[in-house]
């Protein structure tokens, strides 16, 4: 598998309406760090949704981790998602679960034993510097801390691809910096491919990355 | 608090359902007991020219349990003072054979009339008395009681099932976000709905325990026991393994079935 994400003439849209995004040709190599930027409502999140199978393509081809997303059965989509780590702007943590249980979620789904799940959650909590919050629930944490938990969850099962939708959208500068550093580390130390949808690329990112810009439903490669 | 309220809704629905099922079973058993009593106290009287036996009559009427001869000595003794001994001897010779017939089931009015005509069809049988009126009244009351308990159970069951459907839909809606998040990380149907199955398992256990406790306690309650003793009714004993098994089975199967239907319906949306 050369490309982690490969699309050809990809058209995306909602319901029976005309596609809002047309003709996307995109190849993302393994270990790439990709930014997709654009104005609000330009369709950045729509692209990401199609990458994790939430929005099926209207036209064209899309392969994620070598799997053709078109007409993918639910069972196959579930299997594919076990190779992905998704980070949402609104964190999407399970409020009734403790933060460590939230981090364990992808591992529990993957069928790992309880001891493995707990050890990995503890390791990741150390990594995101939240060991002092063990036993707490998401709503007891600040926004930045919740997003760190969300990133720890996305990394828990060593995914092939991380898809992050505005991961620093609601955060202050300090929290944003921590999040970027966690995503950078994932690429550098784990070799994970990272695709981030964001309004702007931080000036201090300090890594080689690919940059795509979306405007009026068309995706342009910037660098 | 909200979660407790949701649990109570399911436990209550299952409890009412199981209570009505068990109540109906108890009524059925009481009626069966009463039927047996009625059968024991009830007999058909048959008059015949010749001797008869149980086996021969069972070939004609399969419900016959026992045919026992009635000794005419009592009647003859009563006539001793008003008749001469010669006439009494003649009477003894001329008297037909009297039999009391007991049945092994409690047949309806039509069947009883049929039995009468089947017995009368025998050449040697001259008269058959089935005492329909007394018998019919008690039989009808028991039948009506049983029918009422079945109707009552059917209505309660239907209501409970509807309530369970509604409550499980609410549960799923409440956990919609959680289910969705699990889906983003590749959880299949069983992982996503595992908590629902776990909840109904717990609720089934609680509701069964409550019903079992009530039906073990009720027959032992002095107040109820006294009342039923006056009526000559005995509540059948609660069979811990069999009855609990049946109640828990009904509760679990029904709730699992409803969860499966509702969760599959909602996952398709």
């Amino acid at each position: 598998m050369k490309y982690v994400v490969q699309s050809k003439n990809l058209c995306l849209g909602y319901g029976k309406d005309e596609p809002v995004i047309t003709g996307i040709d995109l190849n993302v190599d393994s270990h790439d760090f990709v930014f997709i930027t654009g104005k609000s409502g330009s369709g950045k999140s729509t692209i990401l949704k199609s990458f994790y199978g939430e929005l099926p393509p209207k036209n064209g081809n899309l392969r994620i981790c070598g799997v053709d997303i078109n007409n993918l059965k639910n069972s196959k989509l579930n299997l594919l998602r076990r190779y992905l780590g998704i980070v949402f702007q609104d964190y999407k943590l399970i409020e009734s679960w403790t933060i460590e249980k939230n981090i364990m979620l992808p591992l529990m789904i993957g069928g790992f034993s309880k001891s493995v799940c707990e050890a990995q959650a503890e390791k990741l909590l150390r990594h995101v510097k939240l060991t002092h919050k063990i036993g707490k629930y998401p709503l007891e944490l600040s926004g930045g801390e919740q997003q760190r938990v969300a990133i720890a969850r996305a990394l828990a099962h060593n995914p092939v691809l991380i898809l992050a939708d505005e991961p620093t959208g609601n955060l202050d500068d300090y929290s944003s910096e921590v999040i970027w550093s966690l995503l950078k580390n994932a690429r550098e130390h784990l070799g994970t491919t990272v695709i981030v949808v964001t309004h702007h690329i931080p000036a201090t990112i300090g890594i080689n990355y690919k940059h795509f810009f979306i405007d009026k439903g068309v995706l342009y490669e910037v660098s | 608090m909200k979660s407790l309220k949701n649990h109570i809704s399911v436990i209550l629905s299952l409890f009412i359902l199981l209570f009505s099922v068990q109540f109906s079973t108890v009524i059925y058993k009481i009626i069966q007991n009463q039927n047996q009593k009625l059968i024991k106290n009830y007999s058909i009287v048959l008059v015949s020219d010749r001797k008869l036996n149980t086996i021969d009559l069972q070939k004609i009427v399969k419900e016959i349990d026992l045919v026992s001869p009635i000794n005419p000595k009592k009647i003859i003794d009563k006539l001793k003072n008003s008749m001469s001994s010669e006439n009494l001897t003649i009477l003894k010779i001329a008297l037909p054979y009297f039999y009391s017939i007991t049945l092994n089931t409690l047949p309806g009015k039509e069947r009883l009339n049929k039995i009468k005509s089947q017995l009368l069809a025998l050449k040697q049988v001259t008269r058959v008395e089935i005492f329909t009126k007394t018998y019919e009244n008690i039989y009808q009351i028991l039948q009506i009681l049983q029918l009422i308990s079945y109707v009552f159970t059917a209505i309660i069951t239907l209501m409970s099932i509807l309530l369970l459907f509604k409550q499980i839909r609410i549960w799923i809606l409440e956990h919609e976000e959680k289910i969705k998040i699990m889906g983003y990380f590749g959880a299949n149907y069983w992982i996503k709905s595992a908590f629902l199955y776990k909840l109904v398992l717990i609720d089934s256990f609680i509701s069964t325990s409550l019903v079992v406790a009530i039906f073990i306690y009720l027959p032992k309650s002095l107040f109820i026991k006294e009342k039923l003793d006056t009526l000559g009714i005995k509540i059948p004993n609660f069979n811990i393994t069999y009855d609990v098994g049946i109640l828990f089975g009904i509760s679990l199967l029904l709730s699992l079935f409803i969860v499966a239907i509702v969760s599959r319906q909602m996952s398709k949306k």
Side-chain angles (χ1 to χ4, degrees):
Chain A
M1 175 182 71
K2 183 169 172 8
Y3 298 114
V4 175
V5 176
Q6 188 177 24
S7 77
K8 199 161 175 64
N9 195 30
L10 179 67
C11 297
L12 301 168
Y14 296 92
K16 286 177 181 171
D17 297 340
E18 283 294 299
V20 287
I21 289 162
T22 50
I24 295 179
D25 292 325
L26 179 73
N27 292 321
V28 177
D29 281 310
S30 184
H31 313 313
D32 270 356
F33 200 111
V34 176
F35 280 108
I36 299 173
T37 59
K39 289 178 199 164
S40 292
S42 59
K44 304 186 294 290
S45 298
T46 304
I47 295 177
L48 218 60
K49 273 183 187 171
S50 73
F51 290 175
Y52 58 81
E54 183 79 346
L55 188 68
K58 270 190 178 281
N59 249 318
N61 292 318
L62 175 62
R63 294 181 85 86
I64 306 291
C65 303
V67 178
D68 190 351
I69 283 276
N70 297 53
N71 305 318
L72 198 63
K73 277 186 182 172
N74 260 345
S75 55
K76 293 267 167 65
L77 179 64
N78 287 334
L79 284 177
L80 171 67
R81 282 178 174 176
R82 294 181 191 183
Y83 292 93
L84 311 179
I86 312 169
V87 181
F88 301 90
Q89 185 178 5
D90 58 352
Y91 329 126
K92 292 212 187 297
L93 296 172
I94 297 172
E95 290 170 9
S96 55
W97 287 9
T98 60
I99 56 168
E100 54 273 28
K101 197 174 175 191
N102 267 286
I103 294 170
M104 285 192 261
L105 175 67
L107 297 165
M108 295 191 306
I109 290 168
F112 288 92
S113 69
K114 203 181 168 196
S115 58
V116 171
C117 296
E118 282 171 350
Q120 179 74 341
E122 204 186 315
K123 188 180 131 191
L124 284 160
L125 278 169
R126 261 201 314 275
H127 187 58
V128 297
K129 298 184 173 58
L130 285 173
T131 41
H132 60 292
K133 298 285 183 182
I134 285 177
K136 298 262 183 203
Y137 290 86
L139 293 181
E140 296 176 287
L141 272 59
S142 70
E145 287 170 334
Q146 286 189 55
Q147 195 58 298
R148 273 144 71 189
V149 173
I151 289 191
R153 180 183 61 185
L155 292 170
H157 52 307
N158 293 330
V160 174
L161 171 66
I162 288 185
L163 299 167
D165 188 3
E166 306 264 14
T168 58
N170 295 330
L171 307 181
D172 57 42
D173 290 346
Y174 170 74
S175 297
S176 301
E177 215 167 285
V178 175
I179 301 300
W180 291 125
S181 119
L182 287 169
L183 290 173
K184 258 167 36 183
N185 283 342
R187 205 278 296 263
E188 277 164 24
H189 301 298
L190 303 170
T192 315
T193 308
V194 180
I195 299 178
V196 181
V197 157
T198 184
H199 274 97
H200 66 278
I201 301 166
T204 55
I205 189 79
I207 48 161
N208 290 328
Y209 59 84
K210 280 184 181 171
H211 178 200
F212 293 89
F213 179 74
I214 185 162
D215 186 39
K216 290 174 185 162
V218 182
L219 192 73
Y220 303 98
E221 186 166 358
V222 181
S223 60
Chain B
M1 192 65 198
K2 203 177 165 189
S3 156
L4 185 73
K5 202 176 144 196
N6 288 341
H7 267 286
I8 287 172
S9 310
V10 172
I11 292 169
L12 199 69
S13 308
L14 284 172
F15 170 80
I16 293 169
L17 188 145
L18 296 181
F19 186 89
S20 64
V21 167
Q22 188 56 25
F23 182 75
S24 177
T25 310
V26 167
I27 293 284
Y28 173 78
K29 284 180 182 170
I30 289 173
I31 288 171
Q32 288 307 306
N33 281 344
Q34 293 302 108
N35 278 352
Q36 285 308 314
K37 272 187 196 170
L38 202 60
I39 291 166
K40 274 179 195 167
N41 297 330
Y42 174 81
S43 64
I44 297 169
V45 172
L46 182 143
V47 185
S48 169
D49 293 340
R50 270 179 273 162
K51 275 192 175 180
L52 293 170
N53 64 52
T54 307
I55 299 163
D56 288 342
L57 287 182
Q58 271 173 341
K59 282 177 192 164
I60 299 153
V61 179
K62 60 181 187 312
E63 290 97 333
I64 289 177
D65 186 45
L66 191 68
V67 178
S68 27
I70 300 170
N71 195 341
K73 197 173 172 282
K74 265 189 184 176
I75 306 160
I76 293 166
D77 285 350
K78 272 184 191 172
L79 298 170
K80 258 182 186 173
N81 298 330
S82 52
M83 285 177 94
S84 68
S85 59
E86 278 173 5
N87 283 342
L88 273 174
T89 318
I90 296 164
L91 181 68
K92 267 184 195 174
I93 295 162
L95 260 183
Y97 297 97
F98 295 93
Y99 292 98
S100 160
I101 298 176
T102 51
L103 303 173
N104 50 28
T105 55
L106 204 57
K109 190 183 173 183
E110 275 179 27
R111 179 64 194 145
L112 262 180
N113 286 326
K114 185 88 192 292
I115 290 171
K116 184 181 178 179
S117 53
Q118 276 175 318
L119 292 171
L120 279 173
L122 293 168
K123 273 183 190 170
Q124 62 270 43
V125 176
T126 53
R127 195 180 164 97
V128 176
E129 190 55 66
I130 55 172
F131 309 107
T132 341
K133 265 193 179 173
T134 333
Y135 166 84
E136 185 64 14
N137 283 345
I138 305 166
Y139 182 80
Q140 285 297 335
I141 289 168
L142 293 179
Q143 290 299 309
I144 287 167
L145 257 176
Q146 196 161 343
L147 184 72
I148 289 170
S149 83
Y150 286 158
V151 171
F152 167 73
T153 307
I155 293 169
I156 295 279
T157 304
L158 188 72
M159 300 287 280
S160 305
I161 289 174
L162 290 176
L163 265 172
L164 281 170
F165 263 106
K166 192 177 159 243
Q167 190 51 51
I168 286 162
R169 251 188 215 120
I170 293 171
W171 270 1
I172 292 178
L173 286 173
E174 274 180 359
H175 293 92
E176 204 176 14
E177 183 69 5
K178 180 169 145 186
I179 293 168
K180 215 168 181 179
I181 293 168
M182 286 176 158
Y184 288 136
F185 290 89
N188 58 27
Y189 166 78
W190 292 108
I191 299 173
K192 284 191 279 193
S193 358
F195 76 97
L196 279 173
Y197 288 102
K198 206 169 123 188
L199 287 175
V200 292
L201 181 75
I202 295 167
D203 290 355
S204 294
F205 178 76
I206 296 171
S207 44
T208 306
S209 306
L210 289 173
V211 173
V212 169
I214 288 175
F215 277 91
I216 287 176
Y217 166 76
L218 273 186
K220 287 176 186 167
S221 148
L222 271 178
F223 174 75
I224 292 171
K225 213 174 171 185
E226 271 175 25
K227 293 278 171 203
L228 292 177
D229 282 348
T230 322
L231 295 169
I233 293 170
K234 191 178 171 284
I235 293 185
N237 285 334
F238 192 86
N239 185 327
I240 290 286
T241 37
Y242 181 77
D243 287 343
V244 171
I246 294 282
L247 289 176
F248 188 62
I250 290 174
S251 155
L252 193 63
L253 281 178
L254 189 71
S255 50
L256 290 180
F257 177 68
I258 293 172
V259 166
I261 289 180
V262 177
S263 57
R264 285 206 182 269
Q265 265 178 1
M266 297 191 83
S267 67
K268 279 179 190 168
K269 278 184 185 174

